[in-house]
Amino acid sequence: MKEFKGVASSRGIAIGPVFQFQRAELKIETCQNQDPFTEWARLESAVETARAQLVQVYEKALSETDEEQAEIFQFHLLMTEDADLLDRVKKALEDQRTNVEPIFMAVSQDYADYLSKMDNEYFAARSVDVLDVANRIERILMGIAESPTAGLKVPSIIVADDLTPSDTILLDKSLVLGFCTAQGSATSHAAILARGLGLAAVGGAGSEILTLANGTNLILDGGKGVV
């Protein structure tokens, strides 16, 4: 029996088959000589759509967890109103005159990188939230409706490189026995949400966990951080 040691993220024991959660990588292309006003209008529309979606996600989190966990998505809503980030995108659109997708992602990635390098585990973990919101807006801009759990049919242990807060709260909990991520920590939002949902979770189990075939049986001990 093979053992993976990680971080105790949410107490509890889960036994069941692996479901590998894999989100398709966004392929962002650059188009030159674009009208900055048109591109800015596209971004404004995408941000408004993202806000509406996040309100629904917040309400779902509030109904399934509690106010403390649901506040994660209030932070996400604030991200869509970050004036400094949006001003940097607007200026880059005027300077570079390309489509908004690569510019918005580059500015968001810079902000996420800044947070990830902070000497504070809580703020460093918030870099995931920045990219969660950025990817949501990018998918809206690109017209991508993605469902990484379309193949989830039986109660399973979700295995992933990492899980964003949105990934975690939008899963069908009747089909989730627990979580195991290659990355992550006890202070990640996914871990906090798992505790709020009463689901066992292990983070930081290493990349080898991602090689397990779907259907492989796992025993997950969230209290000890062992799979």
Side-chain angles (χ1 to χ4, degrees):
M1 182 180 292
K2 188 167 184 60
E3 183 176 287
F4 301 88
K5 293 184 179 180
V7 177
S9 298
S10 180
R11 296 178 65 85
I13 294 175
I15 302 173
V18 166
F19 179 86
Q20 290 284 356
F21 182 100
Q22 296 177 326
R23 186 180 294 285
E25 183 179 352
L26 292 175
K27 295 181 180 179
I28 300 173
E29 298 181 352
T30 300
C31 301
Q32 303 292 340
N33 301 316
Q34 300 300 303
D35 176 23
F37 299 103
T38 300
E39 293 303 299
W40 177 251
R42 288 182 61 229
L43 178 61
E44 286 187 312
S45 176
V47 168
E48 284 301 317
T49 300
R51 285 176 185 154
Q53 290 179 355
L54 286 167
V55 168
Q56 293 181 330
V57 172
Y58 168 74
E59 291 174 349
K60 188 174 191 294
L62 199 57
S63 69
E64 293 185 352
T65 58
D66 58 35
E67 190 168 353
E68 183 179 356
Q69 275 80 35
E71 281 181 358
I72 292 167
F73 299 103
Q74 292 284 36
F75 175 80
H76 283 207
L77 280 164
L78 288 174
M79 275 294 305
T80 67
E81 301 168 1
D82 189 310
D84 179 59
L85 186 147
L86 293 173
D87 284 346
R88 288 171 61 193
V89 173
K90 194 171 190 178
K91 185 179 186 305
L93 282 172
E94 294 167 353
D95 292 343
Q96 299 177 33
R97 303 186 74 83
T98 68
N99 55 316
V100 71
E101 286 89 341
I103 289 175
F104 180 73
M105 184 52 74
V107 171
S108 298
Q109 186 68 61
D110 283 347
Y111 184 30
D113 290 344
Y114 167 75
L115 289 176
S116 69
K117 293 173 184 175
M118 293 184 71
D119 189 23
N120 180 294
E121 189 177 12
Y122 176 83
F123 286 109
R126 300 296 73 78
S127 64
V128 174
D129 298 298
V130 173
L131 294 179
D132 192 359
V133 175
N135 281 315
R136 177 183 294 277
I137 292 172
E138 288 288 343
R139 287 194 296 272
I140 294 168
L141 284 167
M142 298 168 71
I144 296 173
E146 189 180 9
S147 180
T149 57
L152 182 59
K153 304 298 184 185
V154 299
S156 302
I157 294 174
I158 306 300
V159 175
D161 182 47
D162 202 359
L163 287 168
T164 68
S166 296
D167 292 334
T168 308
I169 203 65
L170 292 176
L171 286 164
D172 181 349
K173 305 312 176 298
S174 68
L175 296 176
V176 179
L177 301 173
F179 300 113
C180 179
T181 58
Q183 301 185 55
S185 68
T187 60
S188 72
H189 277 335
I192 294 168
L193 284 166
R195 292 195 289 271
L197 293 165
L199 293 169
V202 173
S207 59
E208 191 177 353
I209 200 79
L210 304 176
T211 65
L212 297 177
N214 281 337
T216 303
N217 283 319
L218 292 186
I219 302 171
L220 182 151
D221 188 331
K224 294 182 178 179
V226 173
V227 179

